[in-house]
Amino acid sequence: MQSPVGNRPILLAGSGRSGTTFAAKLIDSHPDILLRYEPDKALRTDAIPYLPPDHPDPEMIRNAAEYLDELLRSGNATASGSRPFFRKSYRGRLAELVHRGWSTTARALDRVAGLPVPDLARGTTPRYLMKTVSSLWRTRLLKLARPDLVVVHLVRHPCAVVASRLRGISLGRMPGDVFLDAIFSAGRGGNFGFDKQTLEGKTIEEQMAFAWMAINQQVYDDMHQHDDYRLVIYEDLCSDLPAQMHSLFEFLDLEENAQTASFVNELQGLGDTSRYFSVRRSPTSALTKWQQELDAEQIAAVREIVSASELGRRFTSNPTSG
């Protein structure tokens, strides 16, 4: 049975601080896209685990299908009202103005009133895009639940992720949890030659590097043979944004358009920003920031951990990459 949310929804998934917000807004710049920004943070479920088993039973797959449909329908202020806003083909001009005003008000009152944000979609059916960091482990399960799901898996240099997380912790913007217990309890941590007790004795950056490796390598192993899965390296995306967006839109079966081209040109003309969750910034401004934020000992420790995985060696095989 076809889901009411339409065909071939897109899942953009990555671990925290991998650039998923930036990538989501790039894809959202397409007029046909309807973005759901981390709806799984507000709309949670106990019907499927965050770290599903390798062989989920039919009931879990059905629950995942229902949950994904609910997430794609979600109209909460965070999921539906993330900035910057873009003109959409499925809304008229008046509906666009109403949606933006409603979204801004709903976000301002979200903690108090929890106002829903209507999509105001009319005529053409939008293409749904769900951006998530919370459900990255669930990628394979969600794909089993929705076989037409198109997956974009965003991966950023592990040193950059670790540096950004450490900066977020120091600013009070990020939690310090690494979730080693959950990873090993779900049987997801034993494929790289490390045990939980050994890791508990290591530094927080080494633990973060291990978590980066365990989750991203698992998703890659689960998904890389699917034709509708695309691994996107954040550094590649930012280094050649026009060409990378052309390739990504071709993979997603999205037409190139003037609005996306204008947004890409705008971003390339911007400088750096000190805002932690900023989207409007130069794509290349933060690519090597981690080299100043981590010392040589921390970088070497992260490299040693992640080099135990195929995905990690993509970043550590070149000495100039850190």
Side-chain angles (χ1 to χ4, degrees):
M1 183 179 68
Q2 180 177 324
S3 167
V5 299
N7 293 321
R8 303 191 73 222
I10 302 164
L11 178 71
L12 171 62
S15 56
R17 307 311 301 159
S18 290
T20 52
T21 297
F22 180 67
K25 296 313 294 186
L26 284 166
I27 301 174
D28 184 38
S29 68
H30 194 285
D32 295 345
I33 289 293
L34 199 164
L35 172 63
R36 297 305 192 207
Y37 182 89
E38 300 187 3
D40 46 345
K41 280 191 173 180
L43 187 62
R44 303 185 183 187
T45 182
D46 295 325
I48 61 172
Y50 281 104
L51 281 71
D54 286 333
H55 304 288
D57 59 37
E59 181 180 5
M60 183 179 292
I61 294 174
R62 284 194 301 272
N63 290 338
E66 293 173 1
Y67 181 51
L68 179 58
D69 189 75
E70 192 174 4
L71 292 173
L72 293 174
R73 290 169 173 268
S74 176
N76 69 71
T78 300
S80 301
S82 63
R83 293 174 176 269
F85 296 122
F86 298 100
R87 284 289 308 275
K88 296 300 178 180
S89 61
Y90 48 84
R91 292 190 194 112
R93 289 183 179 275
L94 179 58
E96 196 70 60
L97 290 173
V98 171
H99 180 266
R100 295 184 187 196
W102 197 314
S103 297
T104 300
T105 302
R107 284 182 70 88
L109 299 177
D110 191 37
R111 294 185 180 180
V112 179
L115 294 176
V117 178
D119 295 323
L120 302 179
R122 296 291 185 271
T124 59
T125 302
R127 184 86 178 276
Y128 286 77
L129 164 68
M130 174 179 151
K131 180 266 194 197
T132 183
V133 295
S134 302
S135 292
L136 178 58
W137 280 110
R138 294 165 164 165
T139 299
R140 179 174 175 270
L141 176 60
L142 296 176
K143 177 65 174 171
L144 289 171
R146 277 293 302 255
D148 66 337
L149 188 68
V150 180
V151 177
V152 177
H153 176 197
L154 190 66
V155 176
R156 188 181 184 186
H157 196 298
C159 287
V161 171
V162 169
S164 184
R165 289 197 63 190
L166 291 175
R167 183 167 12 108
I169 292 170
S170 69
L171 293 171
R173 305 296 300 274
M174 291 282 290
D177 300 328
V178 184
F179 304 110
L180 289 180
D181 284 338
I183 292 171
F184 279 93
S185 295
R188 301 291 188 177
N191 299 327
F192 307 102
F194 298 97
D195 58 67
K196 187 165 83 71
Q197 184 175 3
T198 299
L199 286 165
E200 287 175 338
K202 292 186 177 294
T203 63
I204 188 170
E205 55 263 27
E206 289 173 304
Q207 293 176 3
M208 289 178 178
F210 176 82
W212 175 97
M213 174 175 66
I215 187 170
N216 285 299
Q217 187 64 53
Q218 181 71 53
V219 173
Y220 178 76
D221 289 345
D222 287 343
M223 300 300 302
H224 76 276
Q225 293 184 342
H226 288 269
D227 291 338
D228 44 11
Y229 164 85
R230 171 68 63 94
L231 174 69
V232 175
I233 303 299
Y234 174 78
E235 285 75 14
D236 293 344
L237 176 67
C238 293
S239 296
D240 192 2
L241 192 55
Q244 289 288 318
M245 287 304 298
H246 172 81
S247 176
L248 183 57
F249 273 15
E250 190 173 55
F251 166 71
L252 296 172
D253 196 24
L254 293 170
E255 297 279 346
E256 294 198 55
N257 63 94
Q259 183 167 245
T260 297
S262 176
F263 185 49
V264 168
N265 287 337
E266 176 193 345
L267 292 174
Q268 291 183 306
L270 296 177
D272 195 2
T273 176
S274 59
R275 292 179 58 193
Y276 189 63
F277 291 114
S278 176
V279 170
R280 291 188 181 275
R281 56 172 174 74
S282 167
T284 59
S285 63
L287 290 185
T288 59
K289 185 179 290 187
W290 59 267
Q291 295 176 2
Q292 287 75 53
E293 294 180 324
L294 300 179
D295 61 35
E297 185 176 347
Q298 290 173 309
I299 292 171
V302 171
R303 283 173 53 87
E304 183 176 356
I305 293 287
V306 303
S307 62
S309 68
E310 175 192 349
L311 205 54
R313 288 191 292 273
R314 295 192 181 204
F315 296 94
T316 62
S317 58
N318 182 356
T320 64
S321 69

mmCIF file of all heavy atoms in Angstrom, residues 126-153:
data_model
loop_
_atom_site.group_PDB
_atom_site.id
_atom_site.type_symbol
_atom_site.label_atom_id
_atom_site.label_comp_id
_atom_site.label_asym_id
_atom_site.label_seq_id
_atom_site.Cartn_x
_atom_site.Cartn_y
_atom_site.Cartn_z
ATOM 1 N N PRO A 126 4.664 17.029 -2.795
ATOM 2 C CA PRO A 126 6.067 17.308 -2.485
ATOM 3 C C PRO A 126 6.874 16.026 -2.316
ATOM 4 O O PRO A 126 6.322 14.949 -2.093
ATOM 5 C CB PRO A 126 5.984 18.085 -1.170
ATOM 6 C CG PRO A 126 4.697 17.673 -0.551
ATOM 7 C CD PRO A 126 3.759 17.404 -1.696
ATOM 8 N N ARG A 127 8.163 16.155 -2.412
ATOM 9 C CA ARG A 127 9.100 15.055 -2.149
ATOM 10 C C ARG A 127 9.602 15.230 -0.716
ATOM 11 O O ARG A 127 10.205 16.250 -0.368
ATOM 12 C CB ARG A 127 10.261 15.131 -3.138
ATOM 13 C CG ARG A 127 11.267 13.995 -3.030
ATOM 14 C CD ARG A 127 10.875 12.784 -3.829
ATOM 15 N NE ARG A 127 11.878 11.749 -3.722
ATOM 16 C CZ ARG A 127 12.977 11.679 -4.463
ATOM 17 N NH1 ARG A 127 13.200 12.596 -5.408
ATOM 18 N NH2 ARG A 127 13.839 10.689 -4.307
ATOM 19 N N TYR A 128 9.356 14.243 0.126
ATOM 20 C CA TYR A 128 9.661 14.365 1.543
ATOM 21 C C TYR A 128 11.121 14.049 1.834
ATOM 22 O O TYR A 128 11.671 13.072 1.325
ATOM 23 C CB TYR A 128 8.758 13.450 2.370
ATOM 24 C CG TYR A 128 7.341 13.946 2.489
ATOM 25 C CD1 TYR A 128 6.444 13.804 1.438
ATOM 26 C CD2 TYR A 128 6.903 14.587 3.642
ATOM 27 C CE1 TYR A 128 5.146 14.277 1.541
ATOM 28 C CE2 TYR A 128 5.609 15.064 3.751
ATOM 29 C CZ TYR A 128 4.730 14.898 2.695
ATOM 30 O OH TYR A 128 3.457 15.380 2.788
ATOM 31 N N LEU A 129 11.718 14.884 2.673
ATOM 32 C CA LEU A 129 13.093 14.714 3.131
ATOM 33 C C LEU A 129 13.111 14.747 4.651
ATOM 34 O O LEU A 129 12.668 15.714 5.259
ATOM 35 C CB LEU A 129 13.979 15.842 2.589
ATOM 36 C CG LEU A 129 15.351 16.034 3.251
ATOM 37 C CD1 LEU A 129 16.270 14.857 2.957
ATOM 38 C CD2 LEU A 129 15.993 17.346 2.786
ATOM 39 N N MET A 130 13.611 13.691 5.268
ATOM 40 C CA MET A 130 13.758 13.665 6.722
ATOM 41 C C MET A 130 15.239 13.718 7.060
ATOM 42 O O MET A 130 16.028 12.881 6.621
ATOM 43 C CB MET A 130 13.130 12.405 7.318
ATOM 44 C CG MET A 130 13.384 12.246 8.810
ATOM 45 S SD MET A 130 12.593 10.766 9.479
ATOM 46 C CE MET A 130 13.695 10.371 10.846
ATOM 47 N N LYS A 131 15.600 14.711 7.857
ATOM 48 C CA LYS A 131 16.974 14.854 8.333
ATOM 49 C C LYS A 131 17.042 14.333 9.765
ATOM 50 O O LYS A 131 16.211 14.684 10.610
ATOM 51 C CB LYS A 131 17.386 16.319 8.268
ATOM 52 C CG LYS A 131 18.813 16.606 8.750
ATOM 53 C CD LYS A 131 18.848 16.997 10.200
ATOM 54 C CE LYS A 131 20.183 17.601 10.596
ATOM 55 N NZ LYS A 131 20.448 17.652 12.039
ATOM 56 N N THR A 132 18.028 13.484 10.054
ATOM 57 C CA THR A 132 18.129 12.908 11.399
ATOM 58 C C THR A 132 19.572 12.666 11.801
ATOM 59 O O THR A 132 20.423 12.358 10.966
ATOM 60 C CB THR A 132 17.353 11.579 11.497
ATOM 61 O OG1 THR A 132 17.425 11.082 12.846
ATOM 62 C CG2 THR A 132 17.921 10.526 10.565
ATOM 63 N N VAL A 133 19.848 12.827 13.085
ATOM 64 C CA VAL A 133 21.070 12.307 13.683
ATOM 65 C C VAL A 133 20.714 11.238 14.722
ATOM 66 O O VAL A 133 21.502 10.341 14.989
ATOM 67 C CB VAL A 133 21.921 13.425 14.333
ATOM 68 C CG1 VAL A 133 22.430 14.399 13.276
ATOM 69 C CG2 VAL A 133 21.152 14.173 15.411
ATOM 70 N N SER A 134 19.511 11.326 15.273
ATOM 71 C CA SER A 134 19.089 10.396 16.325
ATOM 72 C C SER A 134 18.841 8.988 15.796
ATOM 73 O O SER A 134 19.030 8.011 16.520
ATOM 74 C CB SER A 134 17.815 10.911 17.005
ATOM 75 O OG SER A 134 17.997 12.187 17.563
ATOM 76 N N SER A 135 18.399 8.874 14.549
ATOM 77 C CA SER A 135 17.999 7.578 13.999
ATOM 78 C C SER A 135 18.996 7.002 13.008
ATOM 79 O O SER A 135 18.636 6.147 12.194
ATOM 80 C CB SER A 135 16.622 7.686 13.338
ATOM 81 O OG SER A 135 15.613 7.915 14.298
ATOM 82 N N LEU A 136 20.248 7.457 13.065
ATOM 83 C CA LEU A 136 21.243 6.922 12.131
ATOM 84 C C LEU A 136 21.378 5.412 12.251
ATOM 85 O O LEU A 136 21.451 4.692 11.245
ATOM 86 C CB LEU A 136 22.598 7.602 12.379
ATOM 87 C CG LEU A 136 23.769 7.126 11.510
ATOM 88 C CD1 LEU A 136 23.465 7.294 10.028
ATOM 89 C CD2 LEU A 136 25.049 7.882 11.888
ATOM 90 N N TRP A 137 21.385 4.888 13.491
ATOM 91 C CA TRP A 137 21.474 3.440 13.685
ATOM 92 C C TRP A 137 20.281 2.719 13.066
ATOM 93 O O TRP A 137 20.364 1.536 12.749
ATOM 94 C CB TRP A 137 21.483 3.106 15.182
ATOM 95 C CG TRP A 137 22.793 3.270 15.888
ATOM 96 C CD1 TRP A 137 23.094 4.224 16.805
ATOM 97 C CD2 TRP A 137 23.959 2.455 15.779
ATOM 98 N NE1 TRP A 137 24.371 4.056 17.275
ATOM 99 C CE2 TRP A 137 24.924 2.971 16.669
ATOM 100 C CE3 TRP A 137 24.280 1.325 15.025
ATOM 101 C CZ2 TRP A 137 26.198 2.409 16.814
ATOM 102 C CZ3 TRP A 137 25.548 0.760 15.172
ATOM 103 C CH2 TRP A 137 26.488 1.296 16.056
ATOM 104 N N ARG A 138 19.155 3.404 12.912
ATOM 105 C CA ARG A 138 17.932 2.771 12.416
ATOM 106 C C ARG A 138 17.855 2.735 10.882
ATOM 107 O O ARG A 138 16.837 2.313 10.323
ATOM 108 C CB ARG A 138 16.703 3.524 12.933
ATOM 109 C CG ARG A 138 16.491 3.445 14.427
ATOM 110 C CD ARG A 138 15.494 4.490 14.870
ATOM 111 N NE ARG A 138 14.960 4.251 16.209
ATOM 112 C CZ ARG A 138 14.298 5.151 16.922
ATOM 113 N NH1 ARG A 138 14.090 6.363 16.408
ATOM 114 N NH2 ARG A 138 13.836 4.866 18.113
ATOM 115 N N THR A 139 18.882 3.188 10.202
ATOM 116 C CA THR A 139 18.812 3.345 8.750
ATOM 117 C C THR A 139 18.370 2.066 8.057
ATOM 118 O O THR A 139 17.453 2.071 7.221
ATOM 119 C CB THR A 139 20.171 3.805 8.191
ATOM 120 O OG1 THR A 139 20.512 5.068 8.766
ATOM 121 C CG2 THR A 139 20.108 3.948 6.682
ATOM 122 N N ARG A 140 19.002 0.960 8.366
ATOM 123 C CA ARG A 140 18.657 -0.300 7.700
ATOM 124 C C ARG A 140 17.219 -0.712 8.011
ATOM 125 O O ARG A 140 16.489 -1.159 7.122
ATOM 126 C CB ARG A 140 19.615 -1.410 8.124
ATOM 127 C CG ARG A 140 19.313 -2.780 7.497
ATOM 128 C CD ARG A 140 20.394 -3.787 7.846
ATOM 129 N NE ARG A 140 20.043 -5.097 7.342
ATOM 130 C CZ ARG A 140 19.355 -5.993 8.030
ATOM 131 N NH1 ARG A 140 18.926 -5.703 9.275
ATOM 132 N NH2 ARG A 140 19.076 -7.175 7.515
ATOM 133 N N LEU A 141 16.798 -0.549 9.254
ATOM 134 C CA LEU A 141 15.439 -0.907 9.634
ATOM 135 C C LEU A 141 14.429 -0.046 8.890
ATOM 136 O O LEU A 141 13.407 -0.548 8.397
ATOM 137 C CB LEU A 141 15.262 -0.746 11.146
ATOM 138 C CG LEU A 141 13.848 -0.984 11.699
ATOM 139 C CD1 LEU A 141 13.376 -2.400 11.398
ATOM 140 C CD2 LEU A 141 13.810 -0.713 13.206
ATOM 141 N N LEU A 142 14.690 1.246 8.787
ATOM 142 C CA LEU A 142 13.773 2.133 8.065
ATOM 143 C C LEU A 142 13.728 1.791 6.577
ATOM 144 O O LEU A 142 12.676 1.891 5.936
ATOM 145 C CB LEU A 142 14.183 3.593 8.267
ATOM 146 C CG LEU A 142 14.085 4.112 9.706
ATOM 147 C CD1 LEU A 142 14.605 5.542 9.797
ATOM 148 C CD2 LEU A 142 12.652 4.029 10.232
ATOM 149 N N LYS A 143 14.850 1.353 6.039
ATOM 150 C CA LYS A 143 14.876 0.935 4.636
ATOM 151 C C LYS A 143 14.066 -0.343 4.434
ATOM 152 O O LYS A 143 13.360 -0.501 3.423
ATOM 153 C CB LYS A 143 16.326 0.737 4.192
ATOM 154 C CG LYS A 143 16.502 0.238 2.758
ATOM 155 C CD LYS A 143 16.003 1.252 1.758
ATOM 156 C CE LYS A 143 16.317 0.801 0.334
ATOM 157 N NZ LYS A 143 15.667 1.654 -0.680
ATOM 158 N N LEU A 144 14.147 -1.270 5.387
ATOM 159 C CA LEU A 144 13.318 -2.482 5.318
ATOM 160 C C LEU A 144 11.841 -2.122 5.400
ATOM 161 O O LEU A 144 10.999 -2.745 4.747
ATOM 162 C CB LEU A 144 13.694 -3.438 6.456
ATOM 163 C CG LEU A 144 15.049 -4.139 6.357
ATOM 164 C CD1 LEU A 144 15.364 -4.870 7.663
ATOM 165 C CD2 LEU A 144 15.062 -5.129 5.191
ATOM 166 N N ALA A 145 11.552 -1.113 6.203
ATOM 167 C CA ALA A 145 10.161 -0.703 6.391
ATOM 168 C C ALA A 145 9.611 0.034 5.170
ATOM 169 O O ALA A 145 8.423 -0.085 4.850
ATOM 170 C CB ALA A 145 10.042 0.190 7.630
ATOM 171 N N ARG A 146 10.463 0.814 4.517
ATOM 172 C CA ARG A 146 10.065 1.554 3.316
ATOM 173 C C ARG A 146 11.081 1.247 2.216
ATOM 174 O O ARG A 146 12.083 1.951 2.071
ATOM 175 C CB ARG A 146 10.044 3.052 3.585
ATOM 176 C CG ARG A 146 8.794 3.602 4.227
ATOM 177 C CD ARG A 146 7.552 3.521 3.343
ATOM 178 N NE ARG A 146 7.679 4.211 2.079
ATOM 179 C CZ ARG A 146 7.113 5.384 1.797
ATOM 180 N NH1 ARG A 146 6.394 6.013 2.705
ATOM 181 N NH2 ARG A 146 7.245 5.913 0.605
ATOM 182 N N PRO A 147 10.869 0.198 1.421
ATOM 183 C CA PRO A 147 11.851 -0.174 0.392
ATOM 184 C C PRO A 147 12.139 0.927 -0.618
ATOM 185 O O PRO A 147 13.201 0.913 -1.253
ATOM 186 C CB PRO A 147 11.194 -1.392 -0.278
ATOM 187 C CG PRO A 147 10.314 -1.979 0.775
ATOM 188 C CD PRO A 147 9.783 -0.803 1.535
ATOM 189 N N ASP A 148 11.210 1.879 -0.786
ATOM 190 C CA ASP A 148 11.453 2.970 -1.739
ATOM 191 C C ASP A 148 12.199 4.139 -1.106
ATOM 192 O O ASP A 148 12.413 5.165 -1.763
ATOM 193 C CB ASP A 148 10.135 3.451 -2.343
ATOM 194 C CG ASP A 148 9.204 4.104 -1.326
ATOM 195 O OD1 ASP A 148 9.352 3.815 -0.121
ATOM 196 O OD2 ASP A 148 8.321 4.886 -1.738
ATOM 197 N N LEU A 149 12.631 3.989 0.149
ATOM 198 C CA LEU A 149 13.360 5.046 0.833
ATOM 199 C C LEU A 149 14.727 5.249 0.181
ATOM 200 O O LEU A 149 15.469 4.292 -0.057
ATOM 201 C CB LEU A 149 13.544 4.684 2.313
ATOM 202 C CG LEU A 149 14.133 5.750 3.237
ATOM 203 C CD1 LEU A 149 13.163 6.908 3.418
ATOM 204 C CD2 LEU A 149 14.470 5.131 4.604
ATOM 205 N N VAL A 150 15.064 6.496 -0.117
ATOM 206 C CA VAL A 150 16.368 6.848 -0.673
ATOM 207 C C VAL A 150 17.222 7.391 0.472
ATOM 208 O O VAL A 150 16.788 8.278 1.211
ATOM 209 C CB VAL A 150 16.229 7.901 -1.788
ATOM 210 C CG1 VAL A 150 17.600 8.250 -2.368
ATOM 211 C CG2 VAL A 150 15.293 7.396 -2.879
ATOM 212 N N VAL A 151 18.431 6.856 0.631
ATOM 213 C CA VAL A 151 19.259 7.175 1.797
ATOM 214 C C VAL A 151 20.501 7.953 1.383
ATOM 215 O O VAL A 151 21.264 7.510 0.509
ATOM 216 C CB VAL A 151 19.680 5.897 2.542
ATOM 217 C CG1 VAL A 151 20.606 6.232 3.712
ATOM 218 C CG2 VAL A 151 18.458 5.134 3.030
ATOM 219 N N VAL A 152 20.695 9.111 2.015
ATOM 220 C CA VAL A 152 21.928 9.875 1.897
ATOM 221 C C VAL A 152 22.618 9.828 3.252
ATOM 222 O O VAL A 152 22.068 10.308 4.249
ATOM 223 C CB VAL A 152 21.665 11.339 1.487
ATOM 224 C CG1 VAL A 152 22.977 12.124 1.451
ATOM 225 C CG2 VAL A 152 20.967 11.400 0.141
ATOM 226 N N HIS A 153 23.776 9.229 3.296
ATOM 227 C CA HIS A 153 24.532 9.029 4.537
ATOM 228 C C HIS A 153 25.711 10.005 4.522
ATOM 229 O O HIS A 153 26.634 9.867 3.724
ATOM 230 C CB HIS A 153 25.010 7.569 4.598
ATOM 231 C CG HIS A 153 25.869 7.247 5.775
ATOM 232 N ND1 HIS A 153 26.665 6.112 5.819
ATOM 233 C CD2 HIS A 153 26.062 7.878 6.969
ATOM 234 C CE1 HIS A 153 27.303 6.073 6.960
ATOM 235 N NE2 HIS A 153 26.968 7.125 7.677
#
